[in-house]
């Protein structure tokens, strides 16, 4: 089944403890992206990647890192999480990232930073 | 930077009522327009999209949207809602030019009551 998977689905952590949220897609998509969803703010893009080893900042990149060493994986790294990073995170992918393409979303990771 | 406005934060309708959710965007060039839906506890899914051709676009589950270029609008409609349409609806815009990300509106929560 074609899908985007994320792990973990739920995570509670403490301020400053490094964490990684994994994202993987099995559709051979070149484009991948991370969003955070906050009440009343909709989805905002954190980082995106047009292809392997090509990443770029979205609208809210502060406090996050990403890497794209393989086509299928696009992990989101929080080196030193803070409470304002408590949010619902979605990974998404599309074929090439062209403007007309549909993005396919993962199930989401709910993060609570204490 | 472009922005997307969804006028209604929360809409409550009875089953069989007609639905129209407003979406306006601010961008002067050619854009691609999307409506995504997020059912409770699930990830975002594409409802419909427009990038060229007939400005009246039909999507899944009986939804449609009309692109009115002069009004910078892409309103979502459904003639008769069902309880299963209860969800959050996001309008999103991606310009044709540059590497600008998919920009989401803040979302409209639809509650359909029996």
């Amino acid at each position: 089944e074609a899908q985007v998977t994320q792990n973990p689905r739920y995570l509670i952590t403490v301020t400053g403890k490094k964490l990684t949220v994994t994202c993987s897609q099995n559709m051979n998509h070149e484009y991948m992206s991370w969003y955070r969803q906050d009440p009343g703010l909709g989805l905002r893009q954190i980082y995106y990647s047009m292809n392997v080893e090509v990443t770029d900042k979205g609208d809210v990149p502060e406090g996050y890192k990403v890497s794209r060493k393989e086509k299928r994986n696009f992990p989101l790294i929080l080196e030193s999480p803070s409470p304002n990073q408590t949010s619902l995170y979605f990974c998404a992918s599309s074929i090439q990232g062209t403007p007309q393409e549909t993005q396919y979303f993962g199930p989401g990771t709910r993060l609570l930073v204490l | 930077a472009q922005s997307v406005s969804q006028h209604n934060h929360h809409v409550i309708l009875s089953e069989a009522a007609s639905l129209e959710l407003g979406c306006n965007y601010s961008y002067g060039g050619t854009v691609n327009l999307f409506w995504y839906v997020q059912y409770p506890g699930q990830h975002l899914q594409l409802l419909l999209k427009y990038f060229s051709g007939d400005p009246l676009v039909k999507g899944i589950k009986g939804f449609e949207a009309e692109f009115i270029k002069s009004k910078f609008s892409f309103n979502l409609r459904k003639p008769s809602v069902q309880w299963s349409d209860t969800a959050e609806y996001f309008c999103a815009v991606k310009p044709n030019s540059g590497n600008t990300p998919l920009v989401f509106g803040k979302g409209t929560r639809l509650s359909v009551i029996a």
Side-chain angles (χ1 to χ4, degrees):
Chain A
E1 181 191 351
Q3 59 183 350
V4 179
T5 56
Q6 295 178 227
N7 282 293
R9 295 289 312 280
Y10 304 91
L11 181 59
I12 301 174
T13 190
V14 295
T15 299
K17 186 176 181 184
K18 181 179 177 180
L19 67 92
T20 299
V21 183
T22 64
C23 172
S24 184
Q25 49 91 7
N26 62 2
M27 296 172 279
N28 203 36
H29 285 172
E30 292 184 0
Y31 180 90
M32 297 185 75
S33 179
W34 276 103
Y35 297 87
R36 61 178 289 173
Q37 183 182 13
D38 302 290
L41 296 178
L43 279 84
R44 294 176 292 166
Q45 190 180 54
I46 303 170
Y47 268 94
Y48 65 96
S49 168
M50 297 296 288
N51 212 328
V52 175
E53 301 291 3
V54 180
T55 63
D56 212 341
K57 296 177 181 178
D59 291 328
V60 289
E62 295 78 20
Y64 304 95
K65 282 175 55 177
V66 291
S67 70
R68 187 91 184 274
K69 293 186 170 50
E70 307 164 280
K71 199 171 191 178
R72 62 184 291 126
N73 296 323
F74 190 45
L76 179 70
I77 303 154
L78 285 72
E79 294 269 2
S80 183
S82 62
N84 65 10
Q85 292 177 299
T86 292
S87 188
L88 178 58
Y89 291 87
F90 288 101
C91 181
S93 72
S94 67
I95 300 171
Q96 289 185 318
T98 61
Q100 296 85 12
E101 285 174 1
T102 301
Q103 291 197 22
Y104 295 87
F105 287 81
T109 295
R110 194 170 288 280
L111 172 65
L112 172 61
V113 183
L114 300 172
Chain B
Q2 70 270 20
S3 64
V4 179
S5 298
Q6 291 184 240
H7 315 299
N8 311 101
H9 177 63
H10 188 191
V11 173
I12 303 173
L13 293 174
S14 298
E15 277 193 313
S18 65
L19 169 72
E20 180 158 5
L21 301 182
C23 172
N24 285 88
Y25 64 94
S26 64
Y27 185 76
T30 304
V31 293
N32 305 279
L33 299 153
F34 304 81
W35 276 97
Y36 283 87
V37 61
Q38 186 178 26
Y39 297 103
Q42 295 189 27
H43 56 94
L44 277 84
Q45 308 168 42
L46 182 74
L47 261 184
L48 48 79
K49 65 181 178 181
Y50 169 83
F51 53 88
S52 67
D54 188 344
L56 184 62
V57 180
K58 294 197 185 301
I60 61 171
K61 304 189 181 188
F63 286 91
E64 65 178 33
E66 185 175 14
F67 170 51
I68 304 180
K69 190 174 182 180
S70 61
K71 294 185 178 180
F72 297 89
S73 71
F74 190 54
N75 292 356
L76 181 71
R77 301 195 291 249
K78 185 170 183 178
S80 176
V81 295
Q82 301 171 310
W83 178 81
S84 57
D85 293 324
T86 294
E88 190 149 18
Y89 293 81
F90 293 94
C91 181
V93 173
K94 186 153 180 162
N96 257 359
S97 61
N99 259 341
T100 43
L102 186 63
V103 177
F104 284 84
K106 294 181 180 181
T108 297
R109 187 154 66 98
L110 172 65
S111 299
V112 180
I113 55 178

